[in-house]
Structures are given as C-alpha cells and as structure tokens.
Amino acid sequence: MNERAAGAEWIDAGLRALREDGLEAVRVERLAKALGKTKGSFYWHFADRPALLTALAEAWRARATGAVIDEVEAGGGDAADKLRRLFAITLAADGRLERAMRDWAARDAGVAAIVAAVDARRHGYVADRLVEAGVAPATAQWRSRFLYLAIIGRFAAAPAPMSAEEARAMIAAIAPLLGGER
Amino acid sequence: MNERAAGAEWIDAGLRALREDGLEAVRVERLAKALGKTKGSFYWHFADRPALLTALAEAWRARATGAVIDEVEAGGGDAADKLRRLFAITLAADGRLERAMRDWAARDAGVAAIVAAVDARRHGYVADRLVEAGVAPATAQWRSRFLYLAIIGRFAAAPAPMSAEEARAMIAAIAPLLGGER
DNA sequence: CGGTCTCCATACGGTTGCGTATGGAGACAA
DNA sequence: TTGTCTCCATACGCAACCGTATGGAGACCG
C-alpha cells in the first residue's frame, strides 16, 4: 500500500466530519463507523486523535492554499476581471470547511498559524491584483484586507452559498472598489 | 431572590465559556467549578444542559441586537458618519462570541434562526444608511450585504481585533462604498 | 419552636469517547 | 510449510459528562 496514502481515507473522513459537523464531530469511533472499520484500524494508522487532527490541518493547508487562485488565474483577463472572478467563485462556494477551520484556529495556536499563512497568501493575491488595477499600494493594502474579510464573512455566515446571479449583483454593487472601469 | 435573575450567573458563566472556548466548553460541571458551586445548583436552576443553551442563545440575541446600533446612533452625524463609526467600532471589537454563535448556528436550526434575525436587523440598518447617503436602493441592498459580510469576516478572523488607527486606515480605503463624498 | 421554601452539596448510575492489549486473517517470501 | 508483515477486530480499563436522588443549611413564617 502506498505509504503516502496510508491514512488517506481517515483524513478524508475526518475532513468530511469537520466540514459537516465541526471539530467536535471528528471522533475516532465515528469515523471508523463511517468507514466500516473499527478503532483498531485507526490506531494502526495514527498514534492518537491529535495526530489525526494535525494531519487534517495539514491536508486543509495543502488544498486550500492555491486552489481558488489557480482557478482564477486560469481564466485570464486583466486584474479587475480576475478580482470579479475571484468573488464570483468564493461568494458561491461552500464555506463550511473554512468556517470550521477558523473556529478551530481560535482555540489552537498551531491551527491558527496555518490559517494565518493561508490568509496571508490569499490576501496578498488580492492586494497584488488591486495594485495591478491601478490602486495606490497603501490603499490597496487595506482595501484588499477588507475585501478578503468579506470573503471570510461569506464563509462564516450560516446561510447557504449565493447563486451565480446573486454573486454578480453583489460584485456590481462593489465595483468602485475593484478598479477596472471607473 | 429576583426571579428574572434566577440563573443569571450561570448564563454569564456560560457566555464567558462560549466566547473563550466555544460551545463544547459549555459544560455544567465546568461552569459549576468556575462559579464555586456544584451541579446540584445548576439542576435547580435549569432542567438540563439544553435549557441553558437555549437561555444563552436568547441572552445573546437580547444584547447583540441593538447595542452597537444604539452606540452608532448616539454619535449623531449624517449617514456616512454613522457608517464610518459603525466600522470603527466593529473592526476594533472582540468578535469571539460572534464567531462562536455562528459556528453554533451552523449546527443548530434554532440558533441559526436567532442569528439570522440579528443579521437581518443589522444588515437592514446598513442598507438604510446607504440609501440615506444617496446610494440607489437596489445597489444599497447588495452593497450593504457585502459590507456586513466584511464585519462578520472580521469577527471570524482569528487575529486580534484591529487598533483604532488600523480601522481608520481600512475605512479610508473603502470610502468609495460608503457614500458621502470624502 | 415547628414548618416550609430556597439554594446547594454529595453520591450514584449510565453513556460516550480515548487509548491499549491482544489476536487473527491474508499476502508474500523463504 | 513456516515465518513475517500489514491491516483490522475485539475486549478492556479509564476519564469526562450528564442527569437523578437525596439530604442539609439557612431564611422566613406562623
């Protein structure tokens, strides 16, 4: 069996539980039941529950860091186009895992560091696009932080993700911040 | 003893635990220890743990609904002034309880309804100020939602609250959205 | 002074979840 | 066939909580 994928299914199940029911739902016996196995299997792959949690945080970092940015960049266009596409994607995305990660980060310094690193990367991307769109760097620094906060807010908000049309309407309403025309 | 304040100290302790360590930290024996009492006392005031949780959600609704809005209104000025003051207050506020409530709401329909009601009230306030500042109602509806999402995002973000100067810089950077030239 | 009402402590049973110990089944090699 | 390595099942002890039962101390009432 692949060493790299040793506990892969446990990590997948853990991320699923984390997304759907929060950190407190990430329990070894529950995951075992979901996988049709028992604790004996879990403790063969992981030393203990904290070891799984560390792996979960790391797995989130790996897939959360660049995925959306890559998708935005793949679409091409100028900086304002990219920002609009970034919001179209994030406003309509499922933010449950993001919310769970941030709630977790509030009570775990290690996870907080991971989330902070991911945030820095994504915030930097927005800031760079704003500068590219002609916004003064000093303004762009703070404006991008605000824009990114709104994305986090969308993830943290309980209501369901927005539809594509709703996202378009919201993006139009904040056009003065995105550079481009105007 | 005051009937209204029957279990008041338990609710205070519960809100404190909720703010600092999340819903999972709201345990009756832990609260009892924090209050220097025992479970026997708790179960005299509350039927069970869910009863306390319901009371906590209600207590949050009561104090979260209008507090900030009242403070903003008390300062006077025009609509744009009020919006700037709203952000100055919320960006620098401690959002831990707000974050805990939203994470809780994600897994409890009753709490979700309470949070949604509070959100509607606060979002409506922002929308009304935007219209008052001269923004077209259709635009104001979406723009206010975006602005409110950023506030939620600030609450959900792990890092510490912003300083007053940082808040000022951020508000200046999003001035184009707040109406009232300047 | 006896009665009662409020608030709380103590003790108990039951459940859940963690981590460990131990063994077994299958693959694969010697 | 025998040994070994991987992966998993079963069984156990332990700790944390929940909720209940019961009694006791103090106030206040008659």
Side-chain angles (χ1 to χ4, degrees):
Chain A
M1 179 132 302
N2 190 339
E3 304 83 2
R4 185 75 185 60
E9 50 184 355
W10 289 96
I11 291 178
D12 287 343
L15 287 176
R16 205 171 311 124
L18 183 60
R19 167 164 21 89
E20 291 168 8
D21 297 292
L23 184 62
E24 63 182 329
V26 181
R27 298 279 153 80
V28 348
E29 264 151 326
R30 170 189 165 141
L31 300 185
K33 190 171 183 179
L35 291 175
K37 303 187 176 177
T38 65
K39 301 196 309 181
S41 173
F42 176 85
Y43 286 101
W44 192 88
H45 292 288
F46 298 90
D48 49 19
R49 184 169 174 268
L52 170 68
L53 296 185
T54 301
L56 289 182
E58 206 49 56
W60 176 79
R61 186 223 299 264
R63 54 187 84 174
T65 296
V68 173
I69 291 178
D70 290 347
E71 187 179 349
V72 169
E73 282 293 321
D78 64 14
D81 289 332
K82 290 174 181 173
L83 286 174
R84 279 188 288 269
R85 188 156 51 236
L86 172 66
F87 278 98
I89 292 171
T90 54
L91 291 177
D94 177 3
R96 292 177 299 168
L97 185 55
E98 283 272 342
R99 182 193 49 232
M101 288 300 302
R102 276 161 213 288
D103 197 69
W104 182 11
R107 270 168 257 105
D108 184 303
V111 175
I114 290 177
V115 171
V118 170
D119 281 350
R121 164 111 162 78
R122 305 203 284 211
H123 164 244
Y125 177 79
V126 176
D128 290 347
R129 290 306 135 277
L130 284 178
V131 171
E132 195 178 326
V135 177
T139 298
Q141 196 61 23
W142 286 105
R143 184 178 291 184
S144 59
R145 249 186 96 172
F146 186 86
L147 292 173
Y148 185 58
L149 280 185
I151 294 177
I152 296 179
R154 161 61 197 77
F155 292 153
M162 298 170 60
S163 70
E165 308 89 73
E166 290 173 322
R168 259 195 299 276
M170 181 171 280
I171 292 167
I174 61 164
L177 285 196
L178 301 184
E181 64 274 273
R182 162 95 180 136
Chain B
M1 179 126 307
N2 191 338
E3 304 83 3
R4 186 74 184 61
E9 51 185 353
W10 289 97
I11 292 178
D12 287 344
L15 287 176
R16 204 170 312 123
L18 183 60
R19 169 165 17 91
E20 292 168 6
D21 296 294
L23 183 63
E24 64 182 329
V26 182
R27 298 278 156 79
V28 349
E29 264 152 327
R30 170 188 165 141
L31 301 185
K33 190 170 182 180
L35 292 174
K37 303 186 177 179
T38 64
K39 301 196 307 180
S41 172
F42 176 85
Y43 285 101
W44 192 88
H45 292 289
F46 298 90
D48 50 18
R49 183 169 174 267
L52 170 69
L53 296 185
T54 301
L56 288 182
E58 205 50 55
W60 176 78
R61 185 224 299 267
R63 54 188 83 176
T65 296
V68 172
I69 290 177
D70 291 346
E71 186 179 350
V72 168
E73 281 295 319
D78 64 14
D81 288 332
K82 290 174 182 174
L83 286 175
R84 279 187 288 268
R85 189 156 49 237
L86 171 66
F87 279 98
I89 293 172
T90 54
L91 290 178
D94 177 2
R96 291 177 298 169
L97 185 54
E98 283 272 343
R99 182 193 47 235
M101 288 300 302
R102 277 162 213 290
D103 196 68
W104 183 10
R107 269 168 257 107
D108 183 304
V111 174
I114 289 177
V115 171
V118 169
D119 281 350
R121 164 114 163 76
R122 306 204 283 213
H123 164 243
Y125 178 80
V126 176
D128 290 347
R129 290 309 132 263
L130 283 179
V131 172
E132 195 178 327
V135 176
T139 299
Q141 197 60 23
W142 286 107
R143 185 179 291 183
S144 58
R145 249 186 98 172
F146 185 86
L147 292 173
Y148 185 58
L149 280 185
I151 294 177
I152 296 180
R154 164 58 197 76
F155 292 153
M162 298 171 60
S163 72
E165 308 88 75
E166 290 173 322
R168 257 194 301 276
M170 181 173 279
I171 292 168
I174 61 164
L177 285 197
L178 301 184
E181 336 312 307
R182 176 133 112 192

